[in-house]
Amino acid sequence: GIQVEQSPPDLILQEGANSTLRCNFSDSVNNLQWFHQNPWGQLINLFYIPSGTKQNGRLSATTVATERYSLLYISSSQTTDSGVYFCARSQGNLIFGKGTKLSVKP
Amino acid sequence: GAVVSQHPSWVICKSGTSVKIECRSLDFQATTMFWYRQFPKQSLMLMATSNEGSKATYEQGVEKDKFLINHASLTLSTLTVTSAHPEDSSFYICSARDHRANTEAFFGQGTRLTVV
């Protein structure tokens, strides 16, 4: 079946540091999304990015569909960035990776 | 972005009772909505696809008689957990996308169900 793999599974950062989260997928992607799940469980849409690069403030994402991966960059991390980051590939329904748990320490 | 509202946010019920969870798209119409379940420290697993005006499509291993899904309108899907047991305790979350365009999906706030 379709596979979505995320790395690293866990990441601990000092406030102000930068980080890169990776998402590999096993087949050609129609749609790819990045989400941040906050401590209350809410999934916050970060990027809808089937290909190319997008930026939103301190966050940016790049998807290289031909090489089947996507990257999420977080710059100047803040404690409020803590949580779990999911990428999900869409073909109708979303198929999720296992997530990267990010902890940003003050 | 588009708004998907899920209600209730949390519910505690007794074993053997049924619980209904609502998922509404507030500013768009959705012919299809999706229901996911998430166990602690795990990812989201698709339970079923809710289709407006027709039967839901369930993933393998999901009991359709246990998890009843109704999608009566283009803005509302409901998930009813019937005869709930403690093992049904979990986080349930729905998603929807605007049916006019195959673009990004949006999620409800999720429902934390505890069966005692």
Side-chain angles (χ1 to χ4, degrees), chain B residues 29-33 50-53 71 73-74 97-99:
Chain B
Q29 294 182 327
T31 54
T32 304
M33 293 185 179
S50 172
N51 304 300
E52 188 268 334
H71 194 150
S73 77
L74 286 171
R97 61 162 54 91
D98 191 324
H99 78 291

Side-chain angles (χ1 to χ4, degrees), chain A residues 6-12 20-22 85 98-102:
Chain A
Q6 291 186 244
S7 60
D10 296 279
L11 186 58
I12 300 174
T20 301
L21 282 59
R22 187 177 181 102
Y85 289 81
K98 293 186 177 181
T100 292
K101 183 179 179 182
L102 174 64

